[in-house]
Amino acid sequence: MKKMIAGVIAILLSTFVVVSQQALPEEVIYQIKQEAFQRSQMENLAFSLTDMAGPRLAASRLCERGEQLTKDKLIELGFANARIEKAADFPRGGWDNLKTYVAMTAPYYCHFTGTPKAWSGSTNGVVKGEVVLLDINTVEDIGKFRGKLNNKIVLMPETQKYDMRFVPFASRHTDEQLQVLALDPRPQARRSSSVQGAASSIDLQQKIRALLSEEKPAVLISGNGVFNVPRSQSVSYGKFGDPEPVAELVLPVEDHGRMVRLIANNIPVSMEVDIRNEFYNNQIISNVIAEIRGTDPKLKDEIVLIGGHLDSWHGSTGAADNTSGCIVMMEALRIIKETGIQPRRTIRIALWGGEEQGLIGSRGYMQNVLYDVEANKPRKGYEQFTLYLNMDNGSGKFRGIYLEEHDTAFPFFRQWIKPLENMDFSVLSPRTTGGTDHLSFTRIGLPAYQFIQDELEYSRGYHTLMDTYERLIITDLQYNAAIIACLALSAAMDNNKIPPKPLPANFSMQQQRR
């Protein structure tokens, strides 16, 4: 029966190649939806890349483990050329947290939940003692602390306070919001910034860091994250083999603020802290890649790329950020394969490494495959590039797509989304959006896009200990996978492809670097 259905689909798709920018036949859309909604593998994929894989901080031992598990899953799903591929050098190397214990012991005992800053050092066993509040507001205040911080537990000043919000934690886009996103905002006025004030603050912070480097405290305690959930952060660390930085720990603002207020009211505070971290000599960032090979003799080497970033912060399993994007792309590719549809172009999945450290994996792919930065000219892969679809805004349902002021993309997507209108996916926004891996491709003019998604409670939990399996809405992810399968297949079957934006005559990738 499955072979019969595949044969019917092949006949239908043979008519698709006659006209460019044509929607997939309804029968093909039906098969995609059946596979996506009746035979979904989303829950299994979600478990595999959260609970099973664990945290995946870039270049860490756990990240390498997660990459191998993901490659094994891609092989199990039957995709071609599954591999872990080096993207770029990463001199900083890997880092893993092996143990964390933190508590306030005076004026009373209270256990806290803390997250060490990535690439910070360890304490010398359990550190106990009275806390010193580093109350520095001006350069002149620095002198008060010289000679007083060595081997001490130092509480950094408050930089964040909790503000009550009178809006729901989770929300979906309203019709009014989607209508605004569909409008072209060009031209937009540039916002001015207070450069002088920012420079002054940076200068003070640099002087504080210099003081701490000289004094060598036992551990630094800062506050970030609310609802008693700390947010993951990292320290500045040069390269593997450099001296380990001071141990640093992030507490939620409620616990951090409690100790600041006690000390401000002349009530001594004591703590005990035990942190053990390990630096790991893995000085590369890798991507996990697989594909369904194209079948058209003329188009099979052209690439429709879909992806999201596989790395996470170390405090959680990175469910919303960005297991959700990875498993949607894996499921979309599985759907296409299981329907028996043979795409004309190759559809490739790329799960990027090092996104949280500056889009390292996708930038590495861009430089290795698409654009020679040193020679400042496109590589062969540039001409073969068709489209990149990225997901990295949590678990929420797709409502449309940001088309990055790429006006020539609109005719393609208007046709491709026609069969999806009854799925409430209709907004083609001219707007740009930032902060994730599609930027590695838009920099060189290539058609690469991020989706408009319902936020749900994404901003509350990402980069925190909360970002676990429970943040995933499986039905939304199933819906997203069906849309990706339709769009990726549409791009793989179309006679034409979206043209890149023309690069300026004086374009230089050296100037485009972050």
Side-chain angles (χ1 to χ4, degrees):
M1 183 66 181
K2 192 171 183 179
K3 288 183 178 179
M4 184 182 298
I5 293 172
V8 172
I9 290 174
I11 294 170
L12 290 165
L13 287 174
S14 68
T15 65
F16 182 87
V17 302
V18 177
V19 182
S20 298
Q21 301 167 26
Q22 181 177 335
L24 290 174
E26 290 290 348
E27 292 82 355
V28 175
I29 299 295
Y30 171 77
Q31 289 299 321
I32 288 172
K33 289 182 178 180
Q34 284 293 101
E35 191 63 41
F37 304 144
Q38 302 301 321
R39 295 180 287 277
S40 172
Q41 295 297 307
M42 193 63 75
E43 289 193 40
N44 175 267
L45 290 171
F47 168 78
S48 296
L49 264 69
T50 55
D51 300 336
M52 180 68 179
R56 302 173 301 280
L57 182 70
S60 66
R61 290 185 188 274
L62 283 175
C63 185
E64 284 196 321
R65 176 178 177 273
E67 289 168 354
Q68 186 60 52
L69 289 170
T70 304
K71 176 191 168 184
D72 292 345
K73 179 60 71 172
L74 294 172
I75 293 171
E76 177 188 323
L77 293 170
F79 305 139
N81 302 327
R83 61 198 184 271
I84 299 171
E85 183 175 276
K86 178 183 174 181
D89 292 326
F90 190 61
R92 190 186 314 180
W95 177 96
D96 292 88
N97 173 234
L98 304 182
K99 182 180 181 181
T100 303
Y101 168 71
V102 55
M104 183 176 71
T105 54
Y108 47 85
Y109 179 86
C110 183
H111 174 262
F112 292 150
T113 299
T115 302
K117 288 189 178 182
W119 290 281
S120 69
S122 305
T123 59
N124 186 17
V126 181
V127 177
K128 301 180 180 181
E130 187 172 334
V131 174
V132 178
L133 176 61
L134 196 68
D135 188 14
I136 295 178
N137 298 302
T138 66
V139 173
E140 289 70 29
D141 291 337
I142 291 176
K144 297 186 297 185
F145 293 94
R146 292 198 183 277
K148 300 178 180 179
L149 302 179
N150 181 253
N151 209 33
K152 299 291 186 180
I153 300 174
V154 175
L155 193 65
M156 301 297 285
E158 285 185 293
T159 58
Q160 178 187 359
K161 291 182 180 291
Y162 174 71
D163 291 319
M164 188 73 70
R165 295 181 63 198
F166 295 91
V167 294
F169 285 132
S171 63
R172 295 193 183 275
H173 282 294
T174 65
D175 291 342
E176 291 77 14
Q177 290 170 326
L178 292 171
Q179 287 170 7
V180 171
L181 288 173
L183 299 176
D184 194 331
R186 292 172 285 180
Q188 291 176 292
R190 300 281 183 184
R191 292 184 180 180
S192 60
S193 60
S194 177
V195 177
Q196 183 175 356
S200 175
S201 175
I202 291 171
D203 181 62
L204 177 59
Q205 293 303 314
Q206 288 175 338
K207 285 182 167 57
I208 291 173
R209 282 290 162 181
L211 169 70
L212 295 171
S213 179
E214 295 168 9
E215 293 285 315
K216 294 181 172 53
V219 60
L220 303 177
I221 310 290
S222 58
N224 195 297
V226 295
F227 298 103
N228 293 299
V229 179
R231 188 168 288 273
S232 297
Q233 295 178 302
S234 68
V235 302
S236 177
Y237 180 66
K239 64 181 185 300
F240 180 80
D242 285 350
E244 293 186 10
V246 170
E248 294 199 42
L249 187 72
V250 180
L251 296 179
V253 297
E254 295 90 343
D255 297 334
H256 181 269
R258 184 194 320 190
M259 292 190 290
V260 169
R261 292 187 296 272
L262 285 167
I263 294 171
N265 282 277
N266 299 315
I267 299 173
V269 171
S270 294
M271 296 181 71
E272 56 184 26
V273 182
D274 188 4
I275 302 171
R276 185 154 57 96
N277 300 321
E278 179 184 47
F279 290 78
Y280 175 45
N281 188 15
N282 175 31
Q283 299 183 54
I284 64 171
I285 296 294
S286 298
N287 301 321
V288 184
I289 296 173
E291 58 202 20
I292 297 175
R293 290 294 300 166
T295 57
D296 188 303
K298 294 182 179 179
L299 301 178
K300 64 183 180 180
D301 292 329
E302 295 186 357
I303 305 298
V304 175
L305 192 63
I306 61 176
H309 70 90
L310 183 61
D311 66 303
S312 74
W313 283 99
H314 53 291
S316 70
T317 55
D321 187 22
N322 182 38
T323 290
S324 58
C326 294
I327 61 178
V328 161
M329 299 303 174
M330 293 168 72
E331 174 71 351
L333 204 61
R334 186 198 69 82
I335 290 167
I336 293 171
K337 183 178 182 300
E338 289 302 313
T339 56
I341 299 169
Q342 295 184 323
R344 300 174 71 200
R345 294 181 175 89
T346 293
I347 304 177
R348 177 176 294 166
I349 182 171
L351 306 178
W352 312 115
E355 189 270 354
E356 301 291 1
Q357 281 62 52
L359 316 184
I360 297 174
S362 57
R363 283 195 296 132
Y365 180 93
M366 178 270 290
Q367 294 175 10
N368 297 335
V369 177
L370 304 175
Y371 201 92
D372 186 331
V373 174
E374 298 304 320
N376 196 37
K377 64 179 183 180
R379 298 184 188 273
K380 182 179 179 181
Y382 191 96
E383 293 300 321
Q384 295 172 333
F385 188 95
T386 300
L387 174 71
Y388 175 56
L389 299 174
N390 187 78
M391 177 176 166
D392 185 19
N393 281 150
S395 184
K397 187 178 182 181
F398 290 166
R399 308 299 298 278
I401 190 166
Y402 294 104
L403 291 181
E404 299 289 325
E405 299 179 354
H406 201 160
D407 295 322
T408 53
F410 280 80
F412 290 85
F413 278 94
R414 285 194 191 103
Q415 291 298 321
W416 294 345
I417 70 170
K418 278 185 176 180
L420 306 177
E421 290 175 353
N422 62 358
M423 295 179 69
D424 199 22
F425 180 85
S426 58
V427 179
L428 302 181
S429 175
R431 296 169 184 259
T432 62
T433 188
T436 191
D437 288 294
H438 72 290
L439 297 176
S440 296
F441 307 100
T442 60
R443 284 196 178 110
I444 54 174
L446 292 174
Y449 310 112
Q450 171 80 4
F451 289 88
I452 300 166
Q453 290 181 250
D454 286 334
E455 182 175 327
L456 305 181
E457 54 181 11
Y458 179 69
S459 59
R460 181 187 182 195
Y462 83 110
H463 292 187
T464 76
L465 274 66
M466 291 172 58
D467 196 5
T468 57
Y469 180 95
E470 288 73 17
R471 306 287 84 77
L472 300 177
I473 306 299
I474 297 298
T475 52
D476 280 19
L477 298 177
Q478 292 171 335
Y479 165 98
N480 293 352
I483 288 176
I484 292 290
C486 292
L487 294 179
L489 188 59
S490 295
M493 302 302 292
D494 204 305
N495 276 348
N496 292 337
K497 58 184 182 179
I498 301 167
K501 290 181 181 179
L503 297 177
N506 61 348
F507 177 83
S508 169
M509 268 303 300
Q510 300 288 349
Q511 298 172 358
Q512 291 289 311
R513 287 181 173 178
R514 290 169 66 95

Short mmCIF file of all heavy atoms in Angstrom, two decimals, residues 285-326:
data_model
loop_
_atom_site.label_atom_id
_atom_site.label_comp_id
_atom_site.label_asym_id
_atom_site.label_seq_id
_atom_site.Cartn_x
_atom_site.Cartn_y
_atom_site.Cartn_z
N ILE A 285 34.43 23.27 17.71
CA ILE A 285 32.97 23.27 17.68
C ILE A 285 32.53 22.45 16.47
O ILE A 285 33.07 22.61 15.37
CB ILE A 285 32.40 24.70 17.58
CG1 ILE A 285 32.75 25.51 18.82
CG2 ILE A 285 30.89 24.67 17.36
CD1 ILE A 285 32.12 25.04 20.10
N SER A 286 31.57 21.56 16.69
CA SER A 286 31.11 20.67 15.62
C SER A 286 29.63 20.87 15.34
O SER A 286 28.88 21.34 16.21
CB SER A 286 31.36 19.21 16.00
OG SER A 286 32.74 18.96 16.18
N ASN A 287 29.22 20.49 14.13
CA ASN A 287 27.82 20.42 13.73
C ASN A 287 27.45 18.97 13.46
O ASN A 287 28.30 18.17 13.07
CB ASN A 287 27.57 21.25 12.47
CG ASN A 287 27.93 22.71 12.63
OD1 ASN A 287 27.69 23.30 13.69
ND2 ASN A 287 28.50 23.30 11.60
N VAL A 288 26.18 18.63 13.68
CA VAL A 288 25.68 17.29 13.35
C VAL A 288 24.80 17.42 12.11
O VAL A 288 23.84 18.21 12.11
CB VAL A 288 24.89 16.69 14.53
CG1 VAL A 288 24.46 15.26 14.19
CG2 VAL A 288 25.73 16.70 15.80
N ILE A 289 25.12 16.65 11.08
CA ILE A 289 24.52 16.86 9.75
C ILE A 289 24.05 15.52 9.17
O ILE A 289 24.67 14.48 9.39
CB ILE A 289 25.54 17.52 8.81
CG1 ILE A 289 25.88 18.94 9.33
CG2 ILE A 289 25.03 17.60 7.38
CD1 ILE A 289 26.99 19.62 8.56
N ALA A 290 22.96 15.56 8.44
CA ALA A 290 22.46 14.41 7.67
C ALA A 290 21.58 14.94 6.55
O ALA A 290 21.31 16.15 6.48
CB ALA A 290 21.71 13.43 8.56
N GLU A 291 21.08 14.04 5.67
CA GLU A 291 20.32 14.55 4.54
C GLU A 291 19.49 13.47 3.86
O GLU A 291 19.68 12.27 4.09
CB GLU A 291 21.28 15.18 3.51
CG GLU A 291 22.33 14.23 2.99
CD GLU A 291 23.55 14.97 2.43
OE1 GLU A 291 23.76 16.15 2.76
OE2 GLU A 291 24.30 14.33 1.67
N ILE A 292 18.57 13.93 3.06
CA ILE A 292 17.90 13.10 2.05
C ILE A 292 18.43 13.59 0.70
O ILE A 292 18.24 14.76 0.34
CB ILE A 292 16.37 13.24 2.10
CG1 ILE A 292 15.83 12.74 3.44
CG2 ILE A 292 15.73 12.49 0.95
CD1 ILE A 292 14.34 12.95 3.61
N ARG A 293 19.10 12.71 -0.03
CA ARG A 293 19.72 13.12 -1.28
C ARG A 293 18.68 13.42 -2.35
O ARG A 293 17.65 12.75 -2.47
CB ARG A 293 20.66 12.03 -1.80
CG ARG A 293 21.92 11.83 -0.98
CD ARG A 293 22.83 13.05 -1.06
NE ARG A 293 23.24 13.32 -2.44
CZ ARG A 293 23.81 14.46 -2.82
NH1 ARG A 293 24.01 15.44 -1.95
NH2 ARG A 293 24.16 14.65 -4.08
N GLY A 294 18.96 14.45 -3.15
CA GLY A 294 18.10 14.79 -4.26
C GLY A 294 18.20 13.78 -5.39
O GLY A 294 19.19 13.04 -5.50
N THR A 295 17.19 13.75 -6.24
CA THR A 295 17.13 12.75 -7.31
C THR A 295 17.19 13.34 -8.71
O THR A 295 17.39 12.61 -9.68
CB THR A 295 15.84 11.93 -7.19
OG1 THR A 295 14.71 12.81 -7.23
CG2 THR A 295 15.81 11.15 -5.89
N ASP A 296 17.02 14.65 -8.85
CA ASP A 296 17.05 15.28 -10.17
C ASP A 296 18.50 15.41 -10.62
O ASP A 296 19.31 16.02 -9.92
CB ASP A 296 16.39 16.66 -10.11
CG ASP A 296 16.21 17.29 -11.48
OD1 ASP A 296 17.22 17.45 -12.19
OD2 ASP A 296 15.08 17.62 -11.83
N PRO A 297 18.87 14.88 -11.79
CA PRO A 297 20.26 14.93 -12.23
C PRO A 297 20.83 16.35 -12.29
O PRO A 297 22.02 16.54 -12.04
CB PRO A 297 20.22 14.31 -13.64
CG PRO A 297 19.00 13.44 -13.62
CD PRO A 297 18.01 14.13 -12.73
N LYS A 298 19.98 17.34 -12.57
CA LYS A 298 20.46 18.71 -12.68
C LYS A 298 20.43 19.46 -11.35
O LYS A 298 21.17 20.43 -11.17
CB LYS A 298 19.62 19.48 -13.71
CG LYS A 298 19.77 18.97 -15.13
CD LYS A 298 18.94 19.81 -16.10
CE LYS A 298 19.10 19.31 -17.54
NZ LYS A 298 18.28 20.11 -18.49
N LEU A 299 19.58 19.04 -10.42
CA LEU A 299 19.37 19.82 -9.20
C LEU A 299 19.82 19.11 -7.92
O LEU A 299 19.79 19.71 -6.86
CB LEU A 299 17.88 20.16 -9.06
CG LEU A 299 17.24 20.96 -10.18
CD1 LEU A 299 15.75 21.17 -9.90
CD2 LEU A 299 17.94 22.30 -10.37
N LYS A 300 20.25 17.86 -8.02
CA LYS A 300 20.48 17.06 -6.81
C LYS A 300 21.58 17.62 -5.92
O LYS A 300 21.61 17.34 -4.71
CB LYS A 300 20.79 15.62 -7.19
CG LYS A 300 22.07 15.44 -7.99
CD LYS A 300 22.27 13.97 -8.37
CE LYS A 300 23.56 13.79 -9.18
NZ LYS A 300 23.76 12.38 -9.56
N ASP A 301 22.51 18.41 -6.47
CA ASP A 301 23.59 18.98 -5.66
C ASP A 301 23.21 20.32 -5.03
O ASP A 301 24.01 20.90 -4.28
CB ASP A 301 24.86 19.15 -6.50
CG ASP A 301 25.46 17.80 -6.89
OD1 ASP A 301 25.31 16.84 -6.10
OD2 ASP A 301 26.06 17.71 -7.97
N GLU A 302 22.03 20.82 -5.37
CA GLU A 302 21.55 22.04 -4.71
C GLU A 302 20.95 21.66 -3.36
O GLU A 302 20.36 20.58 -3.20
CB GLU A 302 20.54 22.75 -5.59
CG GLU A 302 21.17 23.27 -6.89
CD GLU A 302 20.22 24.11 -7.71
OE1 GLU A 302 19.03 24.24 -7.32
OE2 GLU A 302 20.66 24.62 -8.76
N ILE A 303 21.09 22.55 -2.37
CA ILE A 303 20.80 22.20 -0.98
C ILE A 303 19.67 23.05 -0.41
O ILE A 303 19.74 24.29 -0.43
CB ILE A 303 22.05 22.38 -0.09
CG1 ILE A 303 23.24 21.58 -0.64
CG2 ILE A 303 21.73 21.99 1.35
CD1 ILE A 303 23.04 20.09 -0.68
N VAL A 304 18.64 22.38 0.07
CA VAL A 304 17.64 23.01 0.95
C VAL A 304 18.07 22.66 2.37
O VAL A 304 18.12 21.48 2.74
CB VAL A 304 16.22 22.49 0.67
CG1 VAL A 304 15.24 23.08 1.67
CG2 VAL A 304 15.81 22.81 -0.76
N LEU A 305 18.39 23.67 3.15
CA LEU A 305 18.97 23.46 4.48
C LEU A 305 17.93 23.79 5.55
O LEU A 305 17.25 24.82 5.47
CB LEU A 305 20.19 24.38 4.64
CG LEU A 305 21.13 24.15 5.81
CD1 LEU A 305 21.79 22.79 5.74
CD2 LEU A 305 22.19 25.26 5.84
N ILE A 306 17.79 22.89 6.52
CA ILE A 306 16.91 23.15 7.66
C ILE A 306 17.72 22.90 8.94
O ILE A 306 18.60 22.04 8.95
CB ILE A 306 15.65 22.27 7.65
CG1 ILE A 306 16.00 20.78 7.71
CG2 ILE A 306 14.80 22.57 6.41
CD1 ILE A 306 14.79 19.86 7.80
N GLY A 307 17.44 23.65 10.00
CA GLY A 307 18.25 23.41 11.19
C GLY A 307 17.90 24.27 12.38
O GLY A 307 16.98 25.09 12.37
N GLY A 308 18.68 24.06 13.42
CA GLY A 308 18.60 24.79 14.68
C GLY A 308 19.85 24.43 15.47
O GLY A 308 20.62 23.56 15.06
N HIS A 309 20.06 25.07 16.61
CA HIS A 309 21.30 24.79 17.33
C HIS A 309 21.10 23.71 18.39
O HIS A 309 20.14 23.71 19.13
CB HIS A 309 21.91 26.07 17.93
CG HIS A 309 21.17 26.68 19.08
ND1 HIS A 309 21.43 26.33 20.39
CD2 HIS A 309 20.22 27.63 19.14
CE1 HIS A 309 20.66 27.05 21.21
NE2 HIS A 309 19.92 27.84 20.47
N LEU A 310 22.07 22.80 18.41
CA LEU A 310 22.02 21.65 19.32
C LEU A 310 22.60 21.97 20.69
O LEU A 310 22.23 21.34 21.68
CB LEU A 310 22.79 20.47 18.68
CG LEU A 310 22.79 19.14 19.43
CD1 LEU A 310 21.37 18.60 19.60
CD2 LEU A 310 23.65 18.13 18.70
N ASP A 311 23.52 22.91 20.76
CA ASP A 311 24.14 23.22 22.06
C ASP A 311 23.14 23.91 22.98
O ASP A 311 22.15 24.50 22.54
CB ASP A 311 25.36 24.11 21.86
CG ASP A 311 25.01 25.50 21.32
OD1 ASP A 311 24.39 25.56 20.24
OD2 ASP A 311 25.34 26.50 21.97
N SER A 312 23.38 23.79 24.28
CA SER A 312 22.54 24.45 25.28
C SER A 312 23.45 25.05 26.34
O SER A 312 24.67 24.89 26.30
CB SER A 312 21.58 23.45 25.93
OG SER A 312 22.29 22.60 26.84
N TRP A 313 22.86 25.71 27.31
CA TRP A 313 23.61 26.07 28.52
C TRP A 313 23.65 24.86 29.44
O TRP A 313 22.94 23.88 29.26
CB TRP A 313 23.00 27.30 29.18
CG TRP A 313 23.36 28.56 28.47
CD1 TRP A 313 22.59 29.25 27.58
CD2 TRP A 313 24.60 29.26 28.54
NE1 TRP A 313 23.28 30.34 27.09
CE2 TRP A 313 24.51 30.38 27.68
CE3 TRP A 313 25.79 29.06 29.26
CZ2 TRP A 313 25.56 31.28 27.51
CZ3 TRP A 313 26.83 29.97 29.10
CH2 TRP A 313 26.72 31.06 28.24
N HIS A 314 24.50 24.96 30.45
CA HIS A 314 24.83 23.81 31.28
C HIS A 314 23.85 23.56 32.41
O HIS A 314 23.89 22.51 33.04
CB HIS A 314 26.24 23.98 31.88
CG HIS A 314 26.43 25.28 32.60
ND1 HIS A 314 26.44 26.50 31.93
CD2 HIS A 314 26.58 25.59 33.92
CE1 HIS A 314 26.62 27.48 32.81
NE2 HIS A 314 26.71 26.95 34.02
N GLY A 315 22.96 24.51 32.68
CA GLY A 315 22.08 24.37 33.83
C GLY A 315 20.89 23.46 33.61
O GLY A 315 20.23 23.06 34.57
N SER A 316 20.59 23.13 32.34
CA SER A 316 19.40 22.30 32.07
C SER A 316 19.62 21.54 30.77
O SER A 316 20.69 21.60 30.18
CB SER A 316 18.15 23.17 31.96
OG SER A 316 18.20 23.94 30.76
N THR A 317 18.57 20.87 30.32
CA THR A 317 18.67 20.08 29.09
C THR A 317 18.31 20.88 27.84
O THR A 317 18.19 20.31 26.76
CB THR A 317 17.76 18.84 29.19
OG1 THR A 317 16.42 19.25 29.48
CG2 THR A 317 18.25 17.91 30.28
N GLY A 318 18.12 22.19 27.99
CA GLY A 318 17.93 23.04 26.82
C GLY A 318 16.72 22.67 25.98
O GLY A 318 16.78 22.67 24.74
N ALA A 319 15.58 22.41 26.62
CA ALA A 319 14.41 21.91 25.89
C ALA A 319 13.86 22.94 24.91
O ALA A 319 13.76 22.68 23.71
CB ALA A 319 13.33 21.47 26.88
N ALA A 320 13.47 24.11 25.43
CA ALA A 320 12.95 25.15 24.55
C ALA A 320 14.06 25.77 23.72
O ALA A 320 13.85 26.13 22.56
CB ALA A 320 12.23 26.22 25.38
N ASP A 321 15.24 25.87 24.30
CA ASP A 321 16.38 26.53 23.65
C ASP A 321 17.57 25.57 23.61
O ASP A 321 18.42 25.62 24.47
CB ASP A 321 16.74 27.80 24.42
CG ASP A 321 17.80 28.63 23.72
OD1 ASP A 321 17.97 28.48 22.49
OD2 ASP A 321 18.47 29.43 24.40
N ASN A 322 17.71 24.70 22.60
CA ASN A 322 16.88 24.69 21.41
C ASN A 322 16.63 23.24 20.98
O ASN A 322 16.63 22.94 19.80
CB ASN A 322 17.53 25.49 20.29
CG ASN A 322 16.70 25.58 19.04
OD1 ASN A 322 15.49 25.69 19.09
ND2 ASN A 322 17.34 25.49 17.90
N THR A 323 16.42 22.34 21.94
CA THR A 323 15.97 21.00 21.57
C THR A 323 14.72 21.08 20.70
O THR A 323 14.57 20.32 19.74
CB THR A 323 15.68 20.16 22.82
OG1 THR A 323 16.90 19.85 23.47
CG2 THR A 323 14.98 18.86 22.47
N SER A 324 13.84 22.02 21.02
CA SER A 324 12.59 22.14 20.26
C SER A 324 12.85 22.32 18.77
O SER A 324 12.24 21.65 17.93
CB SER A 324 11.75 23.30 20.80
OG SER A 324 12.49 24.52 20.73
N GLY A 325 13.78 23.21 18.42
CA GLY A 325 14.09 23.42 17.01
C GLY A 325 14.73 22.21 16.36
O GLY A 325 14.42 21.86 15.21
N CYS A 326 15.61 21.53 17.10
CA CYS A 326 16.30 20.36 16.54
C CYS A 326 15.33 19.23 16.24
O CYS A 326 15.38 18.61 15.17
CB CYS A 326 17.38 19.89 17.51
SG CYS A 326 18.74 21.06 17.72
#
